[in-house]
Structure formats: structure tokens, C-alpha cells
Amino acid sequence: MNTATELDLAHMLPGFADPVHDAQRGFRCVLDALSRPGRLFDMTVDVTPPPGLAPAQCAALLTLADCDTPVWLEPGLRDAAAGHYLRFHCGCPLAADFADAHFVVLAGLGALPQRSALKLGDPCYPDRSATVLVEVPELEHGGPIRLRGPGIADVQAISVGGWTARTTAFLHENRAAFPLGVDLLLSCGGRLMGLPRTTIVEV
Amino acid sequence: MNEAAPDVSRRLALGVLACAPAPDLADCVRALGELPRFTWLRQPETGLVMLRARIGGNGARFNLGEASVTRCTLRLADGSIGVGTVRGRNPRHAEHVAICDALLQHPEYAGRVQAQVIDVLVRAEQARHARRSVQVSASKVDFFTLVRGED
Amino acid sequence: MYVAVKGGERAIAQSVDLVARARRGDPAVPELSVEQIRQQMRLAVARVMTEGSLYDEDLAALAIKQAAGDLVEAIFLLRAYRTTLKRLGDSVPLDTANMRLERRISSAFKDLPGGQVLGPTYDYTQRLLDFALMADAAVTEDPAAEASAGPIVAPRVTDLLAGEGLLETSARAEGDPDPSDLTREPLQLPADRATRLQNLARGDEGYLLALGYSTQRGYGTTHPFAAEIRFGAVALELFIDELGFAVKIGEVDLTECQLITDFEGSAEAAPQFTRGYGLAFGHSERKAMAMALVDRALRAGEFGEDTDLPANNEEFVLAHSDNVEASGFVQHLKLPHYVDFQTNLELLRRLRAQWDASNAGATGDEEPAA
């Protein structure tokens, strides 16, 4: 996996300014988002992401990714600034296959692969599964998508840019296979929303 | 890994810097006087490296245990990159290694750093090893097998 | 069942304070510094680093000071600390053949290329208390260094012996795959040899010593020779992604033990010497030797030897080697179990009442009518 080219440090952007506390804030944001599915949270950590990574995605990866967690990036980003950035700051290998990736970074819901291509965990260790970070063009409270399940008092309504019937089918399948499955982190710029495998989606 | 020939002198210099006692290196760096400014690409951070060994010394790899390691990366105004990685938890040591590494890429400073830091530290290391070698060599032994007088 | 208890905060704080006072002892006596422990208790430091599974002499010395010399507690402290640090990578495999030797002996071969170097050892002297140490010992002068004296480096004895074809070679699997890591993945049985060695490297020295000893006393079928024991400094190299190559980032002191045992051969394998391997941080000969004995004992099945003795039982050996786990589980018995105990007490009272009742009845029935 680490067959990539030598790191380009001449153009390297800085990571977290205050690694410990920024990572703690980033972790709190991700934790809140996954505990309260469908609610929007501001990723309060300031980072300057390289092209191809959204700010909230970038902060989440700086917080969570390390040398034990291969990250899947679109092939075009791997040997570009984004790939070098993650390799340098997170020390993470870049996965060539979805099946190896602990984190999958996508630029839109349309890029979601077949669910079966992703790391879904196994019955003894359902946690050995992927977290999928998807940047979407719009992410709001209220709207046609209704969420229920753990962490939601009643019903949480959301609207998400780029959502299609295929997204709904993906999430239905994901919910049905519980405890196996992937967890989604949707982002829009600096905002984050969790859609863990426990959430029931109705459109 | 690609087999591009590594920069041998850079590799050696980094090894000398990392193995030098941190106070000795600090003295050498101080003696260099005013140094160019740099920006951190990665501030000194301490983490763990898993030490791998081989079964029987040359067989399959296994994980022996971890060591604390501190690393940092910096960039000088002219774009020279300095990388410092040292065993232990001394951020100043890592910083000094990275500064010297960057200066060794910098045409204006390379000669001075080689003469006033690297060469000095190499001589000190050789002297340290020689002193120890004399002490240890004195405990070399030849065991004699005594003949049992059966006939 | 574990039940939370409340209260006692003040008493606990006071207890912690008493620990600190007990550790410090009489304030009129100078306090031990971490540096003193690091330099003058180096064998304790080596053990804490090895079983704490973290090479950091300063932290090991600090842990020993904090634990007031309780090494198992110090090991626990080091293990707890390491969980707070992130993993930066895996080293290039340590090359023990290029060790800068401080000590190197073989009990099997008298004449070794590179020679027998006793180094610091009390193997050949009587264990008499040295009352001179009661007073401040005088420092011996360093001998004058000869400029020509280089580091002592010598090939591993097992590599020399391998040339003759009489020694089992160390097999590497196709592609030299990454070993599994017990700090990342829980132990699964059967475990491969690399996983077993990681477990043994972290394992309790006393436990491995007892198991190794059992194989020598008759609870085992092997009689090993110490082909080589070496102790010294080994370069630590790490691949640096920024540079695209590996660099030396420091040195570590290691003790390596290679035990060899004769094997009579089988239909498939020619008679040869088989190997047990031990490796530990710092100067830790007893640990490295015990580890090598147990490593070889756990390989009994490979050579078609009997596997019914305690040291051959992989699950038993590996599941009980960790003194942090063992100490935790044994010592948790000190903590409040009031509800469990109450349950058992109730049950026992009822059983006792039943027993008394039926016993009284039985006795009554058997009483002869007088």
C-alpha cells in the first residue's frame, strides 16, 4: 500500500495547529454526530484542507486516521496534494481497494460503491468496518428524508444534496444487516452529520 | 519500496545526529550562531514505533515491543526540508536533528554544519566506542578444556 | 458480578497520601532521582521495559520510583502510559548480527570467531554480599582509550553453524509478511511462532523461568545448549516517508539467546539441531533464556515430540504469561464484592438449614429404639 511516491513537502499544508486539543475537539464533533444521527454539527477545528478534501472531512481524518487505518481516496487524489497530506499528517496508508479501507472519502453520494465492496466488519468484530465520509452540496435540517432510531428522540427530518433512490436502498440494506455495516459521516463544508448503521431511513 | 539510491551522506548524518547525546548536539547547534528561520510542517510529537526483530536473528519477523520516538519536520525559507526522528521523548533533540538536516541541504550552511556538527559528533562517538571497547575487550576469555586422564 | 460502591473519597485520598509518604521514607535520607535508578538499577529498568513492552529507560526508571520498586506495578504503569501515545510506524527488523557487543558467550562452542566476551557478569563468582557497597564505593578509573579500538562486532554463532547444514534454518514465509500484533489484535489460537514470541517477550520473567525450568527438570523432553547469548547495542532504523528511505534513529540495548537442541530426525527431516529463541530489552539474560526454552517447548508438536506437558500447552502458556493481566485479575479480589458475597452467604445459609434439617431427620430415623 505504501508504494506511493516520495512525499512532496515543498507544498505541504500544515495540519492541526494544536494537535492534541484540535484532535479532541474533532473527536467530540464526530462522536456527537454519530450519537445524534441527522443532527448538524459544526466542525469547530480550523484546518486548510488540500484540494479534494472538504474542511470537515479533513478535520475528521486528521482526528481519526493513523498508520493502522488505510484510507481510500479517489485515484486522482492519491498522488496529489490530498494523498500526500494524509500520508504525512496521519501516517495512513492509502488503500487501492475499498475492501482494505477503514475510511472511505467520497465527493458525493453518487460515488457510493456497492455496499458489499466495503469493509462491513464480521460477526465477532462488527467494529472492523469502514466509516464513509461523503461531502454533499447541501445538508440541512427539515426536509423529505425522515430518520428514526437510536440517538433520535422521535423523528429527525433532513435534506441532503445528491440523495437518490440508490442512496435510500444502500442505507436500507445497511440497516438490515446490523450489526454489520458501515457508518456514514456526511459533510457540507465545515458541517458534519452522522448516519450510523443503526439509523432507520424513510423517504 | 522503491529502490532509488538513498542519499547516503544524508542518511549517515541523520544517524549520527540521532545517536549523539542530546546535550552534545545542543552545544554544537548553539555554536553555529544565528540560524535561518524555519516553519514547522510537523511540530515535535512523541509516539511509538513497534520494534521488529527476526526469529533466530534472521527468520520471520516478529513484534518485540515498542519504543518511544519523537519526530518533527520543518522547512527553511529557501525550501530546504529538515526531518528529525529520534528514539526517546526529547523534542529539542528531534528539533536539532531536523535543523541540522535542513542546513545540510542548504548550500550556505552545509559545509559549516558538516565540520562543526557532524564531524565533531562522529569523533566523539568513535572515542566513546573506543573507550568502551577497551573495557569490554579486557573481559575476553579463552576457555581450556581439560583432558580427562582415563588412560 | 461487579457492583459499584460509593463513598470513601476522603479515605482514598488519605491512602494515596500514605503511599507517597511510604515511598519517600525518611525525609532526612536523600531522595532517589530517576537518573540514579536508570543508571544504577539498570537490570530492573531492563525488566520493566521488556515486560512493559516499551523501550524508554527514563519512563521505566520513573515507573520503578513511583511503584517504590514493585516491578510488576511499574510494568503496569508503563503499559498504561503507552496507550496514550500514537503509533508512528514499525521499525526495520533489528539486526542483532551487527550488535556492538558488550557481552557474548557460547556454552556450546569454545573457540568462536570474535571470541568469548564475558562483559559484565557474575556467573563465575560466588554470590557473597559485598559489604563494601554499604559505604560509598570508589569509582574505578576508565582505562585510556586506544584510538585504534573499534566496536566489537562478531557474527552470530547460529549463522556460523548453519553453514554446516546441521542447524535448522530460520524459515521466512513467502513475501516476508507482516507479523500479527498482540497490541492490535487479541490472541487467537493456535498462534504462529511470531505471535507466540511477542507474547513471551511481554511475558512475566518469573513465570517463563518456572516453565523453562520445568522442561529441564523432566516436564519436557529437550536438553538445550546455549549456542550463544549476546548483549549489546543494536541500531534502530525506521523508514521515513518524508525521505523515502530508512534512517538510524537511535540504538537499543538487547539481549539475545539462541538455544539449540538435538533432534533425532524423522522420515521427512534429517537429524539436526533445532532452535529456541529469546530476545529482550536491555541486559535481561534470565528472561531471554527462559523465553528461548519456552519457545522451543511450544514447538514440540512441530518435531513430533510429546506435547502433553505444561510448557508444551500453548493455550495455557500464552493465556497466563502476562503479569499485568494476571496481577489485575488476582488483585481484583481485594475490591468490594459485597453483593456477590451476600448472595453466596444467603445460598449457603439455606443449604445449611436444609442439611441440618435432613441430617437431624436421618439421625432420628436411625436411632435405635431403646
Side-chain angles (χ1 to χ4, degrees):
Chain A
M1 278 186 224
N2 253 345
T3 51
T5 48
E6 199 176 317
L7 280 174
D8 174 14
L9 294 175
H11 305 96
M12 184 60 65
L13 292 164
F16 281 147
D18 179 1
V20 171
H21 296 104
D22 286 349
Q24 285 174 353
R25 276 203 295 277
F27 188 81
R28 168 50 70 183
C29 182
V30 172
L31 183 65
D32 284 340
L34 289 172
S35 316
R36 302 266 176 261
R39 247 194 249 178
L40 273 171
F41 292 90
D42 282 323
M43 180 54 96
T44 52
V45 192
D46 269 338
V47 285
T48 311
L53 289 182
Q57 279 182 329
C58 183
L61 287 168
L62 286 175
T63 301
L64 298 175
D66 63 22
C67 62
D68 292 323
T69 61
V71 175
W72 189 94
L73 280 183
E74 281 175 31
L77 296 178
R78 287 177 205 162
D79 198 21
H84 288 235
Y85 183 90
L86 293 179
R87 277 170 56 205
F88 179 71
H89 289 298
C90 302
C92 58
L94 298 180
D97 292 319
F98 285 120
D100 298 323
H102 292 222
F103 295 101
V104 172
V105 185
L106 303 175
L109 286 170
L112 270 178
Q114 287 292 321
R115 192 174 153 282
S116 57
L118 296 166
K119 220 175 171 52
L120 302 173
D122 63 69
C124 288
Y125 298 97
D127 54 302
R128 293 180 184 172
S129 56
T131 301
V132 184
L133 297 97
V134 191
E135 176 72 3
V136 295
E138 185 212 338
L139 194 57
E140 295 296 341
H141 288 148
I145 303 159
R146 295 158 63 79
L147 309 177
R148 289 185 296 116
I152 303 170
D154 188 14
V155 174
Q156 176 79 48
I158 57 169
S159 64
V160 181
W163 189 287
T164 63
R166 194 170 157 266
T167 316
T168 309
F170 180 99
L171 291 170
H172 281 171
E173 199 188 330
N174 197 43
R175 164 68 204 174
F178 183 85
L180 304 189
V182 296
D183 302 306
L184 264 63
L185 275 174
L186 304 181
S187 60
C188 183
R191 297 193 298 172
L192 208 60
M193 179 188 288
L195 279 181
R197 67 192 79 175
T198 51
T199 301
I200 300 159
V201 177
E202 291 162 12
V203 182
Chain B
M1 296 305 147
N2 53 4
E3 289 299 322
D7 184 334
V8 176
S9 69
R10 187 172 186 188
R11 213 187 121 134
L12 289 175
L14 280 167
V16 169
L17 291 164
C19 290
D24 295 4
L25 174 57
D27 288 345
C28 291
V29 171
R30 207 173 301 119
L32 290 172
E34 190 75 19
L35 296 176
R37 298 171 62 83
F38 64 84
T39 51
W40 287 119
L41 293 179
R42 183 184 356 251
Q43 293 178 42
E45 60 173 359
T46 297
L48 298 173
V49 166
M50 177 53 88
L51 304 192
R52 295 242 168 103
R54 287 193 179 280
I55 300 173
N58 55 4
R61 292 180 293 172
F62 73 99
N63 293 308
L64 177 62
E66 290 158 316
S68 55
V69 168
T70 303
R71 68 175 181 185
C72 63
T73 307
L74 51 80
R75 185 165 57 200
L76 301 183
D78 77 328
S80 302
I81 303 285
V83 178
T85 310
V86 297
R87 185 178 73 66
R89 289 169 304 111
N90 187 340
R92 294 290 286 175
H93 191 183
E95 179 182 333
H96 287 148
V97 173
I99 289 171
C100 291
D101 180 46
L103 293 176
L104 284 166
Q105 325 302 316
H106 192 295
E108 254 176 67
Y109 289 89
R112 263 174 66 204
V113 173
Q114 182 66 41
Q116 293 180 30
V117 182
I118 305 296
D119 294 349
V120 171
L121 294 175
V122 166
R123 282 196 298 273
E125 185 181 274
Q126 282 169 347
R128 238 182 3 255
H129 290 174
R131 229 175 4 253
R132 188 64 192 160
S133 178
V134 169
Q135 291 172 347
V136 173
S137 296
S139 71
K140 273 198 187 180
V141 66
D142 285 317
F143 287 115
F144 295 101
T145 315
L146 299 180
V147 178
R148 293 192 289 185
E150 262 116 12
D151 47 26
Chain C
M1 189 169 90
Y2 304 99
V3 178
V5 287
K6 290 175 78 173
E9 197 178 329
R10 259 198 21 229
I12 292 169
Q14 183 60 27
S15 165
V16 170
D17 185 53
L18 286 171
V19 168
R21 286 172 192 279
R23 175 197 301 131
R24 179 61 183 88
D26 180 356
V29 176
E31 187 176 347
L32 267 178
S33 73
V34 168
E35 185 60 19
Q36 283 172 326
I37 296 171
R38 192 176 74 86
Q39 297 211 20
Q40 298 173 34
M41 295 279 134
R42 65 183 189 93
L43 300 179
V45 167
R47 178 170 177 197
V48 170
M49 293 196 302
T50 299
E51 294 170 39
S53 206
L54 177 62
Y55 197 107
D56 189 310
E57 292 145 310
D58 297 326
L59 292 178
L62 171 62
I64 292 166
K65 177 174 177 176
Q66 187 179 331
D70 177 343
L71 298 189
V72 174
E73 180 70 14
I75 288 159
F76 188 177
L77 290 169
L78 215 55
R79 290 270 189 96
Y81 178 82
R82 72 158 282 284
T83 64
T84 66
L85 296 177
K86 72 170 172 179
R87 177 74 65 84
L88 304 180
D90 304 300
S91 80
V92 173
L94 298 159
D95 183 7
T96 53
N98 274 317
M99 181 181 278
R100 200 170 68 248
L101 292 167
E102 291 272 308
R103 166 163 166 77
R104 184 263 198 144
I105 52 140
S106 171
S107 71
F109 302 96
K110 192 163 62 68
D111 304 308
L112 293 172
Q116 308 249 11
V117 182
L118 296 189
T121 183
Y122 27 66
D123 283 352
Y124 309 98
T125 51
Q126 288 168 313
R127 266 51 180 259
L128 302 177
L129 278 175
D130 180 359
F131 287 94
L133 293 174
M134 283 274 206
D136 291 335
V139 181
T140 45
E141 289 273 317
D142 281 350
E146 297 159 35
S148 59
I152 307 171
V153 179
R156 280 184 296 249
V157 172
T158 45
D159 296 350
L160 299 170
L161 197 61
E164 224 183 309
L166 282 178
L167 183 69
E168 173 203 0
T169 52
S170 302
R172 283 189 202 177
E174 181 76 25
D176 199 16
D178 276 344
S180 77
D181 183 353
L182 289 172
T183 68
R184 292 292 195 266
E185 306 286 336
L187 178 67
Q188 292 198 343
L189 299 170
D192 61 19
R193 193 172 170 205
T195 308
R196 296 198 302 253
L197 284 172
Q198 185 183 12
N199 176 289
L200 298 179
R202 296 158 64 87
D204 184 80
E205 178 174 319
Y207 172 80
L208 297 187
L209 182 67
L211 282 172
Y213 180 43
S214 76
T215 68
Q216 291 181 281
R217 274 197 70 255
Y219 290 85
T221 54
T222 57
H223 185 285
F225 296 91
E228 187 179 42
I229 292 165
R230 54 168 58 202
F231 158 62
V234 174
L236 171 58
E237 292 190 342
L238 181 68
F239 183 86
I240 309 284
D241 212 9
E242 292 100 298
L243 299 172
F245 51 85
V247 297
K248 186 173 173 185
I249 62 168
E251 290 183 333
V252 288
D253 287 340
L254 298 176
T255 304
E256 182 184 58
C257 172
Q258 308 252 14
L259 293 183
I260 55 175
T261 303
D262 39 314
F263 165 60
E264 292 159 10
S266 64
E268 299 86 46
Q272 61 177 350
F273 284 111
T274 58
R275 307 164 68 165
Y277 189 63
L279 191 63
F281 290 156
H283 196 178
S284 305
E285 282 179 37
R286 196 189 300 113
K287 169 64 189 266
M289 293 183 76
M291 179 176 168
L293 281 172
V294 177
D295 171 44
R296 178 61 183 80
L298 289 175
R299 302 182 65 203
E302 273 180 58
F303 304 109
E305 299 161 354
D306 289 342
T307 57
D308 51 354
L309 296 166
N312 306 134
N313 185 326
E314 178 183 68
E315 179 175 354
F316 180 83
V317 171
L318 299 183
H320 301 114
S321 65
D322 194 290
N323 60 25
V324 176
E325 286 173 13
S327 166
F329 206 45
V330 168
Q331 296 209 67
H332 100 283
L333 295 173
K334 292 186 290 195
L335 300 175
H337 283 64
Y338 305 130
V339 175
D340 323 39
F341 182 70
Q342 200 61 35
T343 315
N344 287 25
L345 196 61
E346 291 294 323
L347 180 66
L348 213 57
R349 278 183 183 139
R350 252 183 290 146
L351 289 172
R352 185 58 176 268
Q354 283 171 13
W355 190 85
D356 284 346
S358 67
N359 234 30
T363 321
D365 285 346
E366 281 163 31
E367 246 168 3

